[in-house]
Amino acid sequence: MTRLVIISNRVSAPKGSESGAQGGLAVALQSALRQYRGVWFGWSGERTDHFTGDINFHRNDGVTTATVDLEDQDIDEYYNGYANRTLWPLFHYRVDLAEYERDFAGGYQRVNERFAETVQPLIEAEDVVWIQDYHMFPLGDELRKRGCENRIGFFLHIPWPPRRLLSILPEAQELVRRMFAYDVIGFHTQEWLESFLDFARLEMGATVADGTVTLGDRSVRVLACPIGIDAPEFAELARSVVARLTYRRMRDSADGRDMIVGVDRLDYSKGLEERFLGYERFLVEHPEERKEVFLLQIAPPSRGAVGSYQRIRNTLESLSGRINGAYADVDWVPIRYVNQGYGRDTLAGIYRASKIGLVTPLRDGMNLVAKEYIAAQDPEDPGVLILSRFAGAAAQLTQAIQVNPYSAEEMADAILTALRMGKDERIRRWRACMDSIEDQDIDWWRETFLAALMAADMPEASAAA
C-alpha cells in the first residue's frame, strides 16, 4: 500500500493547527495517515454560494487534509436533513423523531456524488480508501461508478438497527445494496453486524459464509471491531498539570461531597432526560444522601439547526431547574448543569475527581467517554462507572455497573451501590475494565480494520479469478 485515503464528513485538523477538535478518533486516523503518507478528505464545515469542487489542502505534523466547502442547500438537505433528521434518529431507534423527505434523500445523494467527483482524482492506483460513518453510505458505490478499482473499506460509528426498524427507511434496500461496493465493512459490536446480515439475507436474498456476505456478484467481508482509546496517553493526561489543577479545583468545590459526572454531547440519544429523572429518584428514595453528593452534567450543544436538538435542550434546562428548585438548599444544589465543552486534559481531571461516572445513553455506537473515565482513574482509589447496557462499550466493560437507562429505579439503585462500594471491589472492577481498554485500544482498532482491508482482493484480481 502506497497511501491511505480517509474520507469522512468532517476533517479534524492535525495537532499544531489552530482549528479542529482532537478527539480519540481524530488522533487514531491521524496516526494512520502519518504511517501511510495519507490524505484525509471531507467537508470543511464552511459554506459557499456555489459548489466548485475546489480543494483546500493543508499539511501539518505529517498529515495532509483536503477539504471542500458546501452550499447552504447541501448542508440543509445532506447534513441537517438526511444525515441528522433521517438516518441518525432511525439508527438510534428513535422512529418517532425520524423525518423522511425526498429533498433530504436527494441532497444526500447529490453531496455524495460531489464528494466522489472531487476526491476521485486524488486517489492513486495503489491507494487504500477508508470511508467513515453514516454520512457516506453510498460513497463507495459512487467511486466505483467513476472507475475506482482500489480497496475500499467502510466503518460505521453508530448502531445498525434491527431489520424491521431499518425497513421503515424508504431507501433501505437501495442503501444496503450500494454498500456491497465496499470490500470490508466494520461495526462496533457483533449485535450490529448480525443486524446488517439479517437485513441483507432476509430482505435481499444475500448469502453469508465465513464472515463474508454475497449479493449477486459482489462479496463483502464484515467484522466486529470496537473502537478504543489510547489508554496510556489518557492516563498520562490525567496526571498533567491542567488535569491536576482541575482535580484540585473540583475537589475544593465539592466541599467534601461525592461528585457524579456525566459528559455528553447535547443529544436525545444520550439519555440525559432519563438520567436526570433517575438521579431525582435517587434523591427521593435516599434523602439521607442528598447533601453528600451532586451531579455535574456537562452537555455542550450540537446541531442547533435541527428542531429535535432545540427541544432536548429546552427540556433539560426545565428539568434541571425543577429538580434544583425542589431539592436544593442554601448551601447545596443537586445538579450542576453546564452547556459548554472542555479540553481533554480538563475532562481528565474532572473524571479523576469523580466518585461515579454516569454514562447512560439510550443507544450509542460506542461511547468513548466510558473508556476515558476508566483510563483517568487513580488505580489506588478508582471511581465507579455506571454504564447503559445499550452503549456499544457495554459489550467490553462488563465489570461496570450496567443499567437500563429507561428505568429510574435501576439508575437510583446503581448510584447508591456505587457510592457505598468498598475500595477492594472498586479496584477489582476498574482493573477488569482497564484490561479490556488496554487490550483493544485505538491502535488495535485501526490495525485490525486495515489488516482486513489490505488483505482484501483487489477488484482486478477478483475478476481474473
Side-chain angles (χ1 to χ4, degrees):
M1 185 177 75
T2 58
R3 292 193 315 168
L4 175 66
V5 178
I6 291 176
I7 307 174
S8 63
N9 172 61
R10 292 294 298 275
V11 175
S12 292
K15 290 180 179 178
S17 172
E18 294 180 357
S19 62
Q22 291 296 319
L25 176 61
V27 172
L29 297 181
Q30 288 165 13
S31 177
L33 290 165
R34 281 189 291 269
Q35 181 179 353
Y36 297 111
R37 299 191 302 108
V39 177
W40 191 350
F41 174 87
W43 174 35
S44 65
E46 301 297 328
R47 300 170 181 264
T48 182
D49 291 336
H50 301 286
F51 181 80
T52 62
D54 291 342
I55 302 174
N56 305 303
F57 289 98
H58 180 83
R59 184 170 179 81
N60 189 284
D61 196 27
V63 175
T64 299
T65 59
T67 58
V68 294
D69 302 338
L70 294 178
E71 298 174 6
D72 284 343
Q73 184 179 1
D74 291 338
I75 297 168
D76 290 342
E77 294 175 352
Y78 148 77
Y79 182 70
N80 292 329
Y82 200 77
N84 290 320
R85 290 163 67 179
T86 302
L87 294 178
W88 177 272
L90 181 62
F91 278 58
H92 286 84
Y93 299 46
R94 290 301 303 269
V95 181
D96 57 315
L97 296 178
E99 302 176 34
Y100 309 99
E101 300 285 347
R102 289 178 183 171
D103 288 347
F104 292 172
Y108 183 79
Q109 172 61 23
R110 181 180 65 252
V111 170
N112 273 273
E113 290 174 0
R114 287 179 166 179
F115 283 153
E117 288 282 354
T118 307
V119 75
Q120 194 274 334
L122 303 181
I123 300 172
E124 299 173 0
E126 298 300 319
D127 289 349
V128 169
V129 180
W130 191 6
I131 296 171
Q132 307 288 326
D133 225 0
Y134 65 103
H135 309 85
M136 297 181 172
F137 282 126
L139 184 55
D141 189 45
E142 291 300 329
L143 288 172
R144 296 289 187 213
K145 288 178 181 178
R146 289 158 177 79
C148 184
E149 297 181 334
N150 304 64
R151 296 180 181 93
I152 307 179
F154 178 89
F155 194 89
L156 183 65
H157 293 272
I158 65 173
W160 184 274
R163 175 172 63 96
R164 292 298 189 190
L165 201 59
L166 182 61
S167 297
I168 297 171
L169 183 70
E171 304 83 16
Q173 291 204 18
E174 178 65 7
L175 182 150
V176 173
R177 182 192 65 77
R178 301 187 75 182
M179 292 181 70
F180 280 81
Y182 296 109
D183 297 295
V184 179
I185 300 173
F187 303 86
H188 282 310
T189 71
Q190 189 67 26
E191 175 190 350
W192 300 330
L193 182 155
E194 290 174 357
S195 293
F196 173 81
L197 295 181
D198 282 347
F199 190 94
R201 186 176 62 248
L202 298 175
E203 299 292 333
M204 304 180 69
T207 58
V208 179
D210 299 325
T212 299
V213 55
T214 301
L215 182 66
D217 62 353
R218 283 293 301 169
S219 294
V220 183
R221 182 179 175 185
V222 292
L223 75 160
C225 184
I227 193 171
I229 64 170
D230 185 337
E233 183 265 349
F234 204 85
E236 185 63 29
L237 203 62
R239 296 187 289 270
S240 68
V241 172
V242 171
R244 292 201 308 269
L245 290 173
T246 302
Y247 173 90
R248 187 179 307 158
R249 176 184 172 194
M250 297 311 302
R251 295 302 291 263
D252 288 346
S253 74
D255 196 23
R257 299 182 176 95
D258 291 322
M259 182 169 70
I260 304 170
V261 70
V263 178
D264 310 81
R265 184 170 53 81
L266 193 57
D267 189 293
Y268 48 77
S269 69
K270 302 301 184 181
L272 298 180
E273 181 178 357
E274 289 78 6
R275 183 179 306 172
F276 283 7
L277 292 173
Y279 176 62
E280 181 183 31
R281 183 67 171 259
F282 166 78
L283 297 176
V284 170
E285 294 184 349
H286 303 285
E288 74 283 359
E289 297 284 350
R290 286 181 188 172
K291 288 194 175 184
E292 302 303 317
V293 68
F294 66 94
L295 169 62
L296 170 63
Q297 178 61 57
I298 299 172
S302 69
R303 300 171 187 169
V306 179
S308 55
Y309 289 82
Q310 297 166 0
R311 289 192 292 275
I312 187 64
R313 180 169 186 170
N314 293 337
T315 298
L316 292 174
E317 288 173 353
S318 174
L319 189 56
S320 62
R322 180 183 65 75
I323 292 172
N324 281 339
Y327 302 101
D329 207 337
V330 291
D331 59 348
W332 169 77
V333 291
I335 298 177
R336 300 181 186 178
Y337 179 50
V338 182
N339 283 135
Q340 66 179 33
Y342 295 91
R344 296 174 75 235
D345 47 2
T346 299
L347 289 175
I350 293 172
Y351 295 148
R352 199 176 181 97
S354 305
K355 183 69 173 287
I356 298 173
L358 203 51
V359 183
T360 55
L362 304 180
R363 189 69 56 174
D364 217 342
M366 174 50 61
N367 199 297
L368 294 181
V369 167
K371 297 184 176 184
E372 290 178 346
Y373 177 81
I374 292 294
Q377 295 307 298
D378 177 359
E380 303 300 321
D381 189 19
V384 180
L385 175 64
I386 298 176
L387 180 63
S388 165
R389 64 181 62 129
F390 304 129
Q396 294 172 285
L397 305 182
T398 57
Q399 288 302 302
I401 299 178
Q402 297 197 4
V403 296
N404 176 355
Y406 293 95
S407 170
E409 287 183 334
E410 276 196 35
M411 205 103 67
D413 291 347
I415 291 171
L416 184 66
T417 298
L419 288 173
R420 296 183 177 178
M421 187 178 294
K423 182 185 288 189
D424 289 346
E425 183 176 357
R426 285 190 282 116
I427 292 173
R428 179 184 63 79
R429 286 176 177 265
W430 172 83
R431 185 68 261 174
C433 290
M434 192 64 174
D435 286 346
S436 176
I437 291 169
E438 291 175 332
D439 289 344
Q440 295 185 331
D441 63 4
I442 192 71
D443 292 330
W444 173 89
W445 169 76
R446 182 185 69 241
E447 291 165 5
T448 299
F449 186 91
L450 289 178
L453 184 54
M454 286 185 271
D457 289 335
M458 293 289 280
E460 306 97 301
S462 298

